[in-house]
Amino acid sequence: MYLTRPFFRTLRHRFLNHNRVTFHTTSRIPANAMSKFSHLPLSTSGPIECAVSGTVLLNTPYFNRGSAHSAEERREFNLTGLIPPGIQTLEQQVERAYQQYSSRHDDLAKNTFLTSLKEQNLVLYFKLLQDHMKEMFSVVYTPTEGDAIQNFSRLFRRPEGCFLNINDIDRVPHDLAQWGKPEDIDYIVVTDGEEILGIGDQGVGGILISMAKLVLTTLCAGIHPNRTLPVVLDCGTDNENLLNDDLYLGLRQKRERGEKYDKLVDTFVKSARKLFPRAYIHFEDFGLTNARRILDHYRPEIPCFNDDVQGTGCVTLAAIMAGLHVSKQRLRDTRMVIFGAGTAGVGIADQVRDAIATEKGISKEEAAKQIWLIDRPGLLTTKTQVDQGQRTYAKDASEWDGKERSLVSVIKEVKPNVLIGTSTVPKAFTEDVVKAMAKGTERPVILPLSNPTRLHEAVPEDILKWTEGRALVATGSPFDPVKGPWGPDGKDVEIEIAECNNSVVFPGIGLGAVLSRASRVTDKMLVAAVRGVADLSPALKDDTAPLLPGVEDVRAVSVRVAREVILAAIEDGVATEHDIPSDKDDLDEWIREQMWDPVYRPLKRVEHAGASRAAKAELKVVGSLGKVEDKSAKE
């Protein structure tokens, strides 16, 4: 049954006890036992029904397990003679795959190898990533994925995902309809490729960021990989290098804007909602002028999310809250300077503003007075040309008459306790800037978040050296721990640096929204996600530990985030799924039971007639719907 609101409040108070900073949520029902929730459509217990055999099975990444097929499966599914006779375990396959991976000469080659593996065997691919998460995360995502995107047209081997063309908008419903029936798709990532991972406009190559984000949703939160859809909206490109590249695969024209662009986006959203009404839509790497505008337009109507605006804001707020807790400061007293007022910077400002407003019981406009945005013109004021998202934070120009508006001058004037970098200006946080922060507050929270690493505003080693180890630091990319004489009596201590990685937040938010079948993603759901991450900060127990959980713990974190998101969705009345458990332990099990894991579950032979589309290997196979797809497109 649904949770009632009075019960929710009691349960939520119990869940958010700070003394429970543990990762016990990773426990699962043993593989040979059945969960009480094994009847659910997304259950991961028991055998997998399979209606295909032979080469068709081996060519289906969801079913194929290569040398790990048992003797019984080889006979039952007509695989004898198609694979070598030796039978291996998944662990042996992972070891071989890791040796093959390690033999690649650079990270881009390793990225290409992993892509090929994903196209052959999903379980092996994700198990390899899971076992080597810390080592491989930067290869399947930033910064290496950025290199792959830049080289998309040169490395291209086979298409994956849905390519929608701005010059063929009328085909959008048809092209989307080919990807399945209404119940087939849970999670869609869509991009227009304009602002990719700090490397700018990459045109049609943006399809790879949609694919990479979906890999992370599976790796980090167990979203079923055969129930996802990556999409790119090809609107042209303003990247001259691509336009002049004979091998470029996208539209060879300047990026389309205005009414035609809006029509493409609207046609996509409306078609996706009609064709896949249960799907959650994740907007990714849209340009500054469109990201917030599109999110604000559709957010009141559909379950959607923008990782650049909301995900970055959520994970940064979680790091800030952990840092403030360690330094015994209060969120309500935060004074924050953000250097870089683009999509990410304004998204962070919005999340912090909303949290301050909630904690103090004041308006968002009043809370915005505690945040200062700095961009190319300097401090944003009422005399600065600003966009709609920035306008809330523009300071009264008359109050700054005769005052310098540079970063260091603003810090000296307003004495912030939090400094955020989203500028992509390397080394912008100079020694003078950092020391000005340290002069204004005992333990400044300093977060240089720009990606890739070469664009960081400062490196942790310098920040800690310039603040004598007092700063609380998180970054946008991985950094090694920093050792220095900042312990008692000048003893050396090693301080671990948290990576402010959206992947500890956005997959769990998506998981919670998918499992609760939320009709919208509300502010309360996002705040709940932030609390879920912040409560698991290792720094709450040891101030030399990182401010955020690491990616190696992310599946446990995703369970916590999903739980909090689901509870908030129920409280807000947007959860449409029935029979969500009310007991804490049951709710955690209910979530985990529906998270896909990279394990080889037994294959159960079923007849083709009457089998599900999944059993017939038809999920994400365009053309498998026959005439049904044409009917859907015409409706």
Side-chain angles (χ1 to χ4, degrees):
M1 62 181 178
Y2 279 101
L3 300 175
T4 61
R5 293 192 180 194
F7 181 80
F8 168 90
R9 295 189 185 98
T10 302
L11 190 61
R12 186 169 180 77
H13 176 75
R14 187 164 77 245
F15 283 3
L16 295 184
N17 187 326
H18 277 295
N19 293 326
R20 299 187 63 194
V21 185
T22 64
F23 293 101
H24 68 277
T25 50
T26 52
S27 62
R28 291 188 62 89
I29 300 296
N32 60 350
M34 294 294 286
S35 164
K36 69 174 73 175
F37 300 112
S38 59
H39 63 281
L40 296 170
L42 295 181
S43 167
T44 54
S45 293
I48 301 173
E49 292 187 347
C50 180
V52 296
S53 61
T55 304
V56 175
L57 187 155
L58 295 178
N59 287 339
T60 303
Y62 185 71
F63 288 137
N64 177 40
R65 50 200 63 180
S67 60
H69 281 289
S70 67
E72 293 76 16
E73 286 177 351
R74 296 179 187 215
R75 289 191 295 269
E76 181 71 21
F77 293 95
N78 198 26
L79 302 177
T80 55
L82 295 178
I83 47 181
I87 298 175
Q88 296 183 311
T89 65
L90 177 57
E91 289 69 29
Q92 288 174 312
Q93 289 182 315
V94 168
E95 175 59 29
R96 180 171 57 245
Y98 183 67
Q99 291 179 13
Q100 293 169 346
Y101 168 90
S102 300
S103 72
R104 274 28 183 200
H105 64 280
D106 61 25
D107 285 349
L108 186 56
K110 291 176 179 178
N111 176 282
T112 302
F113 166 79
L114 290 172
T115 298
S116 177
L117 182 60
K118 178 163 69 80
E119 293 169 350
Q120 300 170 53
N121 184 331
L122 283 174
V123 169
L124 177 55
Y125 169 76
F126 281 106
K127 181 62 173 173
L128 177 65
L129 293 183
Q130 193 176 80
D131 286 359
H132 300 277
M133 179 87 82
K134 289 193 74 171
E135 177 183 354
M136 295 184 180
F137 199 92
S138 62
V139 175
V140 295
Y141 194 51
T142 181
T144 309
E145 188 65 19
D147 295 335
I149 292 168
Q150 286 181 304
N151 288 279
F152 171 73
S153 294
R154 295 181 175 276
L155 297 177
F156 181 83
R157 293 181 179 179
R158 56 177 295 179
E160 182 177 351
C162 184
F163 298 80
L164 301 178
N165 184 336
I166 198 165
N167 294 333
D168 211 357
I169 294 176
D170 291 343
R171 292 280 297 183
V172 167
H174 169 271
D175 292 348
L176 278 175
Q178 298 185 87
W179 289 90
K181 291 186 175 182
E183 66 275 13
D184 288 347
I185 303 294
D186 290 330
Y187 201 121
I188 299 171
V189 176
V190 60
T191 185
D192 71 353
E194 185 173 8
E195 196 59 50
I196 301 287
L197 293 176
I199 57 176
D201 189 342
Q202 298 300 317
V204 77
I207 190 66
L208 293 186
I209 195 61
S210 294
M211 291 162 55
K213 285 289 185 178
L214 288 172
V215 165
L216 297 187
T217 66
T218 299
L219 183 65
C220 301
I223 297 293
H224 291 236
N226 61 333
R227 299 181 58 81
T228 63
L229 179 59
V231 178
V232 64
L233 306 179
D234 190 350
C235 306
T237 178
D238 291 334
N239 185 328
E240 291 294 334
N241 290 333
L242 296 180
L243 292 174
N244 294 325
D245 185 352
D246 290 339
L247 296 180
Y248 178 58
L249 291 167
L251 291 176
R252 203 177 298 276
Q253 65 182 57
K254 286 289 187 178
R255 182 170 287 276
E256 192 80 49
R257 303 185 188 277
E259 184 177 346
K260 189 174 181 181
Y261 174 88
D262 289 344
K263 183 180 178 183
L264 173 63
V265 173
D266 194 58
T267 302
F268 160 74
V269 171
K270 288 179 178 176
S271 299
R273 289 298 296 160
K274 181 178 179 181
L275 292 162
F276 312 115
R278 293 161 62 86
Y280 169 88
I281 298 178
H282 173 141
F283 297 108
E284 182 68 27
D285 285 344
F286 283 73
L288 176 61
T289 58
N290 292 317
R292 176 168 298 278
R293 181 176 66 89
I294 291 171
L295 179 66
D296 289 346
H297 180 75
Y298 293 107
R299 193 178 176 211
E301 304 171 5
I302 66 171
C304 64
F305 179 82
N306 185 303
D307 192 39
D308 308 291
V309 176
Q310 296 165 298
T312 302
C314 284
V315 72
T316 305
L317 177 55
I320 291 169
M321 290 173 66
L324 294 177
H325 183 87
V326 169
S327 58
K328 297 178 173 57
Q329 300 179 78
R330 300 186 301 176
L331 180 65
R332 64 187 296 125
D333 301 323
T334 296
R335 295 168 67 82
M336 180 172 70
V337 168
I338 298 178
F339 184 60
T343 301
V346 175
I348 293 167
D350 286 351
Q351 292 294 335
V352 176
R353 175 202 63 191
D354 293 353
I356 291 172
T358 299
E359 185 163 307
K360 295 179 73 172
I362 60 177
S363 69
K364 291 182 179 182
E365 290 73 23
E366 189 67 21
K369 294 179 181 179
Q370 296 175 223
I371 300 171
W372 290 261
L373 299 188
I374 299 175
D375 212 85
R376 288 185 180 89
L379 178 69
L380 301 189
T381 71
T382 50
K383 288 186 177 178
T384 311
Q385 185 175 350
V386 295
D387 63 31
Q388 183 177 352
Q390 298 166 334
R391 188 169 295 116
T392 305
Y393 304 98
K395 304 307 178 187
D396 187 338
S398 64
E399 296 179 2
W400 287 84
D401 284 345
K403 298 178 181 178
E404 288 289 327
R405 301 179 189 180
S406 65
L407 175 59
V408 68
S409 299
V410 171
I411 289 172
K412 290 177 179 179
E413 179 70 23
V414 306
K415 297 179 173 56
N417 59 342
V418 178
L419 174 63
I420 309 293
T422 54
S423 66
T424 67
V425 178
K427 301 181 180 179
F429 293 174
T430 63
E431 184 173 358
D432 287 345
V433 166
V434 173
K435 286 186 172 180
M437 283 292 300
K439 186 176 181 180
T441 186
E442 177 63 23
R443 299 211 67 181
V445 177
I446 302 178
L447 312 180
L449 302 180
S450 292
N451 276 320
T453 307
R454 68 177 185 276
L455 302 180
H456 263 44
E457 288 81 6
V459 296
E461 183 177 5
D462 286 340
I463 295 172
L464 290 166
K465 181 176 68 176
W466 295 333
T467 62
E468 299 178 332
R470 291 187 286 127
L472 294 155
V473 183
T475 59
S477 294
F479 278 89
D480 291 332
V482 177
K483 184 177 288 188
W486 308 308
D489 301 322
K491 291 183 179 178
D492 274 357
V493 294
E494 186 172 83
I495 297 176
E496 295 182 73
I497 307 302
E499 181 183 358
C500 228
N501 192 320
N502 293 21
S503 301
V504 300
V505 176
F506 85 81
I509 294 173
L511 177 64
V514 166
L515 296 186
S516 66
R517 299 299 173 185
S519 59
R520 291 182 293 112
V521 178
T522 66
D523 287 342
K524 282 185 181 178
M525 292 164 69
L526 297 180
V527 171
V530 170
R531 295 282 182 187
V533 175
D535 287 347
L536 294 176
S537 167
L540 297 182
K541 291 185 175 181
D542 176 1
D543 66 1
T544 66
L547 292 177
L548 294 171
V551 293
E552 65 274 15
D553 299 313
V554 72
R555 283 181 75 93
V557 175
S558 290
V559 172
R560 175 69 71 91
V561 171
R563 173 214 289 173
E564 302 304 329
V565 166
I566 290 168
L567 293 172
I570 292 168
E571 186 181 36
D572 272 351
V574 298
T576 66
E577 185 60 63
H578 297 290
D579 300 322
I580 296 175
S582 56
D583 177 77
K584 175 186 76 70
D585 292 331
D586 281 351
L587 180 55
D588 279 354
E589 183 183 339
W590 184 83
I591 292 167
R592 290 194 300 266
E593 174 61 22
Q594 299 180 82
M595 292 172 67
W596 186 87
D597 269 331
V599 295
Y600 287 142
R601 294 161 58 194
L603 295 181
K604 176 183 177 182
R605 181 65 186 243
V606 295
E607 294 302 318
H608 199 274
S612 67
R613 282 175 42 75
K616 292 187 287 188
E618 292 179 350
L619 293 186
K620 299 180 74 170
V621 176
V622 171
S624 63
L625 290 170
K627 294 182 179 180
V628 176
E629 66 182 81
D630 298 324
K631 181 180 177 182
S632 299
K634 292 173 183 177
E635 287 178 350

